[in-house]
Amino acid sequence: MTERRRLDGAITATRAIEIELSDTSELIEMAEAEGDEEMAVEGVAVLRALAKRAETDKVAALLAGEADNNDTYIEVNSGAGGTESQDWASMLQRMYQRWAEKHGYKVEVIDFHSGEQAGIKSATMLIKGPQAYGWAKTESGVHRLVRISPYDSAARRHTSFASVWVYPQIDDDIDIDIKESDLKIDTYRASGAGGQHINTTDSAVRITHMPTGVVVACQNERSQHKNKATAMNMLKARLYERELAIREAAAADVEAGKSEIGWGHQIRSYVLQPYQLVKDLRTGVTSTSPSDVLDGDLDPFMAAALSQRVTGDSVDVEDVD
């Protein structure tokens, strides 16, 4: 029934655009024949609005994957480079939080590890909302930042890397078989805010799935049992996402992109100095306002990557200096 409603909505929206396009075209032809310039201008304005609607509907049509309507986990990890990359990872975490808020999604921080001086070593967020995974799934990969370092007294330009991994929260009716003997479960003290109890007991839980090497962790609950249950759900989600990726022809490229958080693996570059530019290295989509992108304006990048994933069209894109 959910699929039927989705298809019915898509068909209805497409037919509505077709009818309005036909009516507007006839109106413009009539206006040109009668020399009514004002009516012709209004008709062109309607066509522009229709084009925007069609583009929005096209993106919605792309979100038809098996788990696209699910909530999603977004995991951010800093690369090599100490404070610089850890600060960059915290900027990415904020970027995705702001993006989620713009969509009206709810954000829950599942796991968080602070950097030694600033930023974060890693963080995992659960984004709750319709089509959250469908929108965010193309963000997996390495993200590169170029800027004048605020931590360098000589004010030199630095390049930093951080990785993003996106995987869906799975539904209860999806059965993921995990053997207890395949798991390594560690407990440790949680870090960060949370009060006296959360920082003085081994309430945080880390689970390693030995056959695949997948590692998940949770520390946001005061109870070790609740953290373990959440971590198990995350593990099931990661293994499910892994199976989805294997089904895709680009699965090998995805895994290779996650193998190293550094040069040559990035999917997007963010340049703050000496000029302002954000460039996606898969689709060629750019923005000359990095501040807007870092404030959550990610939809143009996501839409282009979704379209590319469906069509399979590749683009030769050079990275920025």
Side-chain angles (χ1 to χ4, degrees):
M1 290 303 297
T2 300
E3 180 68 2
R4 176 174 178 154
R5 285 194 296 269
R6 187 189 69 79
L7 292 172
D8 184 59
I11 293 169
T12 300
T14 301
R15 286 177 176 166
I17 289 177
E18 286 178 341
I19 293 171
E20 197 166 344
L21 175 61
S22 177
D23 292 346
T24 304
S25 298
E26 291 178 4
L27 180 67
I28 292 175
E29 289 177 2
M30 188 185 304
E32 290 176 343
E34 297 177 359
D36 190 336
E37 186 176 341
E38 184 177 347
M39 184 183 295
V41 171
E42 290 179 1
V44 172
V46 172
L47 288 180
R48 289 198 180 100
L50 276 176
K52 290 182 179 179
R53 275 174 53 191
E55 186 64 27
T56 300
D57 288 347
K58 185 184 83 169
V59 174
L62 298 176
L63 302 179
E66 190 172 350
D68 282 357
N69 201 47
N70 292 22
D71 299 336
T72 187
Y73 294 102
I74 298 181
E75 179 183 314
V76 181
N77 293 280
S78 62
T83 302
E84 279 293 331
S85 64
Q86 290 168 11
D87 187 48
W88 172 222
S90 69
M91 292 168 65
L92 285 174
Q93 182 196 10
R94 178 188 178 278
M95 180 180 75
Y96 289 114
Q97 285 181 319
R98 296 289 294 120
W99 168 79
E101 290 165 2
K102 288 176 185 289
H103 280 259
Y105 295 157
K106 181 180 178 182
V107 181
E108 182 180 337
V109 178
I110 300 296
D111 191 46
F112 185 91
H113 296 276
S114 300
E116 285 86 357
Q117 297 180 347
I120 61 171
K121 293 180 179 178
S122 65
T124 303
M125 299 171 288
L126 174 59
I127 311 295
K128 297 181 178 180
Q131 298 181 322
Y133 175 67
W135 273 104
K137 64 184 180 182
T138 58
E139 290 296 294
S140 288
V142 175
H143 296 244
R144 169 182 173 241
L145 173 71
V146 179
R147 64 171 176 175
I148 301 297
S149 171
Y151 305 100
D152 188 339
S153 57
R156 290 170 293 191
R157 195 166 74 142
H158 284 247
T159 298
S160 306
F161 297 92
S163 69
V164 174
W165 197 243
V166 181
Y167 47 99
Q169 185 179 48
I170 63 173
D171 299 325
D172 293 336
D173 58 350
I174 297 177
D175 185 24
I176 306 295
D177 184 25
I178 300 177
K179 297 179 181 179
E180 195 73 28
S181 58
D182 290 339
L183 302 180
K184 178 185 177 185
I185 302 176
D186 300 306
T187 59
Y188 58 97
R189 290 188 181 181
S191 61
Q196 183 178 5
H197 174 78
I198 196 170
N199 290 307
T200 56
T201 62
D202 291 341
S203 59
V205 175
R206 181 188 298 109
I207 301 177
T208 304
H209 187 246
M210 305 302 289
T212 61
V214 172
V215 180
V216 295
C218 180
Q219 63 169 329
N220 67 320
E221 299 288 350
R222 295 165 65 92
S223 163
Q224 184 184 115
H225 295 290
K226 290 183 179 180
N227 282 331
K228 182 179 178 181
T230 300
M232 282 298 297
N233 288 334
M234 292 169 64
L235 177 60
K236 290 179 180 179
R238 284 288 296 271
L239 295 177
Y240 178 66
E241 188 275 340
R242 186 173 180 271
E243 286 301 313
L244 290 180
I246 290 174
R247 296 177 200 174
E248 296 182 1
D253 293 335
V254 172
E255 290 299 322
K258 193 173 185 287
S259 62
E260 180 182 339
I261 308 177
W263 186 271
H265 299 279
Q266 60 267 24
I267 63 168
R268 191 177 303 143
S269 288
Y270 307 70
V271 181
L272 305 186
Q273 278 99 10
Y275 52 89
Q276 301 271 304
L277 183 69
V278 178
K279 186 173 186 179
D280 195 289
L281 305 179
R282 302 161 298 176
T283 63
V285 172
T286 61
S287 170
T288 55
S289 180
S291 59
D292 290 340
V293 176
L294 292 173
D295 202 35
D297 187 15
L298 294 170
D299 286 357
F301 295 96
M302 292 178 172
L306 282 168
S307 180
Q308 185 183 68
R309 176 175 287 199
V310 172
T311 62
D313 295 336
S314 60
V315 181
D316 291 330
V317 183
E318 290 188 5
D319 201 353
V320 291
D321 294 330

